[in-house]
Amino acid sequence: MKFCAVICEYNPFHNGHQYHIKESLRQSGCDACLCIMGGNFTQRGEPAICEKYTRASMAIAGGAAAVVQIPTYFCTGNAEVFAQAAIKIATSFASVTHISFGSECGDIRSLSELAKFLSKEPSFYKARIKRNLNDGFSLGRAKTHALQECIDAGLVKFTRPEVVAHLLDTPNNILAVEYLRVLFSTGRKDITPITVKRIDENSNTKDEEAFEYNLSSATAIRESVYRSKHIWNIRKFIPTEPYQIFASTLRTIGIPDMDIWGNLALYRFRTGTPSDLALNYDVVEGIENKMITAARENVDYRSFIEACTSRRFTQSRIQRIVTACLLNFRAEYVKHIYEIDKLPYIKLLACKNQKEVLSSLNECNTILVTRKQDAIAAQNDAFAQILMFAEDKATYLYTLLLDVTKDQQKDFNISDIYMKPLFIK
C-alpha cells in the first residue's frame, strides 16, 4: 500500500482540506493518505479550536486513511522546527512514497529551487540577512529582502525569479520551502514532493473542480465560531461527516476559552523570573524582560501581545513564546530535533479500520504507538520520556480551557501516550 503523506493542522478540517487530500491522491497516484498533524496547540502558538482526536476523526471522515501526530514540542515551533519533525515522521514509514503540502504559489519547481539555494546559504546571502537584521527587520523580512537583493544583483538565478522573490512573504510557502529543505537533506530520492495550490474564496485559479467546494479559510471559520459561539453559519464550509463530528465535540466540551488562556499567560509572565523564562524555546535577546514588563502593564492578553510585538518579534513568534513558557518547553529539547535522524516514537491518533492500512504503517523505522505496550517500550528512550511528559502537560493545559464535566475530566486525565487510537469504519 502506497501512502501520500500530507502535513497539516486541520484547525478545523474544512472543504479546502478535503480538496487537498483528493488532489494529493490524484497527483501522487497513491492508494491512501497519511496525515501528519499537529496536536492540541498550533504552529501559530495558540490552542487549536478542537482537540486533536476530534480533528483526526474529521480527517478520516474527510478522506484520510490514518493520522499521526507531530509532538507538541515541535508542532508549536517555528517553520524550521515544525518541518524538521514533520518530514522525519514522513520518512519513517517505508510505505510513504510522496509528501504533499499546500502552498500559495502551487509551483513545486520554484519552491524546490529556493529550498536548494537556502540549504547552501552562500556567504553573500548571509551577509545581507545580517545587515537587514541590524536594521531592525524580523528574521522573515530580513530573508525576503536579502533574497530580492541577491536576485537584483544577479548573484543567483531562478527559472521564475519573479515568483521566487516573494515566496518568503506568505506562511504556507515558507513552510513548503522548509519541508523541501529537510527532505532534500535526507537524500531520500525515493520520496516525491508535490504541492497543491491553496484555494479560498478569493483565489484566482482555473481549477473548476476546486470551485465545486464552498471555500473559506480555517482562520475565517475559527473567527466566526469564536465571535458567534455558533457553528450553523459555517456549515457549508465543512464536509458533512466532519461537520457532524465537529458539532458533536462543540456541544459536549465547547471551544477553548481564550479569556482563560489569556489570564494564564499573563500570570506566567507576571510571576516568572527572567532567568527561568530564558530557558524556554525562542526566549532570546532579552525578550523575556519586555514580556514581563508588558504583562504587568497590560490588563488583557491582546494588549499584552501587541505590546510585545515588533518587526523583530512578530505576533506569531510572541504567541509561540507564550505557549513554550506556559508548557516550560526548554530550548535545548526543541533544538534536539536537528540532531536526531528519527523520532523515538510516533503516536497514531486515528486510523481507518482496515488491516491493510495498519499493516502498511507498521513498516516503520521507529515505534508506532498504537497500544499501551508500545508506549511502555518507547519509554526506554530518555528523549521519548521528555516528549511524553510534555504531551501530558499540553493535554492538562488544554483541558483547563474547556467546559468539561467531572466525568469527562476522567478521560482527559489518562496519560496522553496511553490514549488508544480511534479505529474508524
Side-chain angles (χ1 to χ4, degrees):
M1 190 175 212
K2 295 194 302 181
F3 283 96
C4 179
V6 170
I7 304 170
C8 56
E9 286 190 316
Y10 296 157
N11 186 32
F13 188 91
H14 56 66
N15 292 339
H17 295 136
Q18 187 175 60
Y19 169 74
H20 182 200
I21 289 175
K22 185 177 181 180
E23 184 64 11
S24 296
L25 290 174
R26 186 191 70 78
Q27 287 190 33
S28 66
C30 288
D31 304 304
C33 173
L34 169 66
C35 292
I36 301 173
M37 190 184 78
N40 287 334
F41 295 90
T42 70
Q43 204 259 328
R44 289 178 57 84
E46 295 179 318
I49 195 167
C50 52
E51 54 85 30
K52 59 190 178 185
Y53 286 96
T54 296
R55 294 179 3 256
S57 298
M58 293 174 74
I60 299 294
V67 183
V68 295
Q69 187 198 335
I70 303 171
T72 303
Y73 240 108
F74 311 123
C75 71
T76 55
N78 63 20
E80 289 186 17
V81 169
F82 189 96
Q84 284 282 339
I87 295 299
K88 284 173 181 174
I89 290 172
T91 55
S92 293
F93 294 98
S95 50
V96 169
T97 61
H98 292 72
I99 294 177
S100 176
F101 39 82
S103 64
E104 285 87 0
C105 71
D107 183 348
I108 193 66
R109 182 170 186 174
S110 293
L111 291 167
S112 298
E113 287 180 354
L114 180 57
K116 291 174 182 177
F117 169 74
L118 294 179
S119 295
K120 297 176 182 177
E121 207 169 49
S123 57
F124 59 80
Y125 177 63
K126 289 194 288 187
R128 285 167 170 79
I129 293 176
K130 184 177 181 180
R131 186 183 65 205
N132 291 331
L133 287 172
N134 290 336
D135 289 340
F137 287 100
S138 68
L139 181 59
R141 296 306 302 166
K143 288 181 176 180
T144 295
H145 281 288
L147 179 61
Q148 184 67 66
E149 290 168 353
C150 292
I151 292 173
D152 292 343
L155 297 173
V156 60
K157 296 186 183 299
F158 298 104
T159 303
R160 299 178 66 192
E162 72 283 1
V163 173
V164 173
H166 299 287
L167 289 181
L168 299 181
D169 288 338
T170 45
N172 292 284
N173 283 340
I174 291 172
L175 276 170
V177 169
E178 291 301 330
Y179 297 146
L180 290 166
R181 285 181 65 183
V182 181
L183 179 61
F184 294 154
S185 72
T186 67
R188 292 286 299 274
K189 295 183 179 180
D190 57 322
I191 296 180
T192 303
I194 57 177
T195 189
V196 177
K197 184 177 176 63
R198 283 174 57 87
I199 53 173
D200 57 33
E201 63 274 21
N202 299 315
S203 293
N204 180 22
T205 176
K206 296 179 181 179
D207 190 339
E208 293 181 2
E209 182 183 357
F211 282 91
E212 294 178 3
Y213 295 83
N214 287 305
L215 301 171
S216 179
S217 67
T219 300
I221 291 172
R222 291 195 305 272
E223 288 175 351
S224 176
V225 173
Y226 273 111
R227 183 174 58 252
S228 67
K229 305 302 180 185
H230 298 292
I231 61 170
W232 59 265
N233 51 337
I234 51 94
R235 168 68 187 83
K236 66 179 181 179
F237 301 121
I238 300 177
T240 300
E241 287 188 52
Y243 174 82
Q244 292 169 348
I245 295 168
F246 188 40
S248 176
T249 295
L250 266 58
R251 280 195 301 268
T252 54
I253 59 177
I255 57 178
D257 189 323
M258 294 306 291
D259 289 334
I260 295 176
W261 174 255
N263 287 336
L264 289 170
L266 290 174
Y267 172 80
R268 180 72 176 95
F269 286 92
R270 286 174 180 173
T271 60
T273 63
S275 58
D276 174 50
L277 294 171
L279 296 173
N280 294 313
Y281 169 68
D282 208 23
V283 181
V284 295
E285 301 177 19
I287 189 62
E288 66 274 17
N289 297 302
K290 183 176 182 178
M291 294 182 77
I292 288 171
T293 300
R296 293 172 178 174
E297 291 180 349
N298 290 275
V299 296
D300 64 85
Y301 179 66
R302 279 298 133 209
S303 298
F304 160 66
I305 294 295
E306 289 174 6
C308 297
T309 299
S310 63
R311 286 198 297 178
R312 192 66 161 259
F313 287 86
T314 62
Q315 178 178 319
S316 293
R317 187 177 183 184
I318 292 295
Q319 290 174 172
R320 284 194 291 270
I321 292 172
V322 167
T323 301
C325 289
L326 278 170
L327 291 168
N328 284 325
F329 280 0
R330 299 313 199 194
E332 60 181 304
Y333 298 138
V334 177
K335 293 176 182 177
H336 192 54
I337 191 63
Y338 292 97
E339 302 166 5
I340 57 177
D341 295 325
K342 61 181 182 179
L343 274 72
Y345 71 90
I346 297 171
K347 172 70 174 177
L348 180 68
L349 296 178
C351 182
K352 278 190 175 178
N353 197 14
Q354 297 176 0
K355 290 183 179 180
E356 187 181 7
V357 173
L358 191 56
S359 175
S360 297
L361 291 177
N362 275 323
E363 297 179 41
C364 184
N365 67 5
T366 188
I367 296 174
L368 180 66
V369 177
T370 61
R371 305 170 301 167
K372 186 174 181 178
Q373 297 94 309
D374 300 325
I376 292 172
Q379 288 171 357
N380 291 324
D381 183 280
F383 190 50
Q385 293 179 24
I386 292 169
L387 297 181
M388 291 177 185
F389 181 58
E391 291 302 331
D392 284 344
K393 288 193 295 183
T395 298
Y396 296 144
L397 177 60
Y398 191 82
T399 307
L400 291 175
L401 310 177
L402 302 175
D403 183 20
V404 295
T405 65
K406 187 175 181 180
D407 289 337
Q408 290 168 335
Q409 183 72 42
K410 295 176 183 177
D411 294 331
F412 286 101
N413 285 339
I414 299 173
S415 179
D416 182 276
I417 197 65
Y418 292 154
M419 290 285 288
K420 293 181 180 179
L422 301 173
F423 289 96
I424 302 169
K425 292 183 180 179

